Amino acid sequence: MSELKIETSHHMDAAIDFVGGVAGGTASVYVGQPLDTVKVKLQTFPTFYRHGLHCFVKTLREDGIYRGLYAGTLPALAANIAENAVLFMAYGICQKAIATIVHKNSIEDLSVTQNALSGSCAAVFSTMVLCPTELVKCRLQAMKEMKESGQVNMTSGRNSHVGPWSVTRQILREEGPRGLFKGLTPTFMREVPGYFFFFGAYEVSRELLRPPGKSKDEIGIVRTVISGGMGGVSMWLVVFPADVVKSRVQVQCQSVGEHPSFLPTLLKIARTEGVGALYRGLGPNLLRAFPATGALFVSYEWTKKDSDLIDLMTNIWVR
């Protein structure tokens, strides 16, 4: 009976982490999507814009909020919900696995490094569900620039009819199912080391901001936002060049005859555009990362603490 209770507890924890990831992913998209669009445009077509503010204003003026700054929101929601649901569920599982390996009684006893390693391990699983939706999102966000540069010729011929489903159908028609995983290697290169710093910085910040006599789970909304923001900023400062390469690979592989890969693309950007090009769009992305990641962790942590949700899921699971 005790073994059954332990197994049920593990399954419930995984389910709650999954739901928390869904809530966090949704919140982060709506908070950060406009600046994510600016980031992708600057990464993939750096000669089109002088800087982030120029890109933001021009996109807003010419394409508006919905079709401009929030372009690609549907696949972004799919990407972030899928990624964060799997990420946080796998994170909890990896924490328990590492706690068992290092003979800790609870995941609360794990060190910052052990939590960070759990994040890296979890990112292996989330990358597989992230790559296809991230591919569609990036192509939608850079669709206008791709048309202007002659890299794409959608069959509809009208920007208003280009959506996530038409882009997905074109990928499947022209590249097959494997085409949905273009950019998988640079996505791995971004996610696995990135989430080491993401969860590591988050846990460090929570510990530093913890009031005396209280646990890390009792730091409140403001401190959770700050901790989440520090996690997001730390991640992007480390892995941003890999993100630039990922965006280039996923957008430029739309061109006929081009099949860019991670290392050649990285070297080509550094050689022809300079090392600074690998950080093109970093400013808008850091501005996006702090509030978006803060919203992600607040939604995740508070979902885990929602007693009504926990009772509901427990009743469903028992039945």
Side-chain angles (χ1 to χ4, degrees), residues 10-32:
H10 288 337
H11 290 162
M12 274 299 303
D13 288 344
I16 292 170
D17 286 337
F18 185 91
V19 174
V22 170
T26 303
S28 68
V29 168
Y30 282 110
V31 171

Side-chain angles (χ1 to χ4, degrees), residues 24 52 85 97 105 113 120 128 181-182 194 206 213 217 219 235 245 265 278 293 300 307:
N105 293 325
T113 302
S120 280
M128 298 304 297
F181 290 90
K182 289 288 179 67
R206 285 212 301 166
D217 293 329
I219 62 175
M235 172 183 174
V245 174
T265 302
L278 292 170
T293 313
Y300 168 69
S307 58

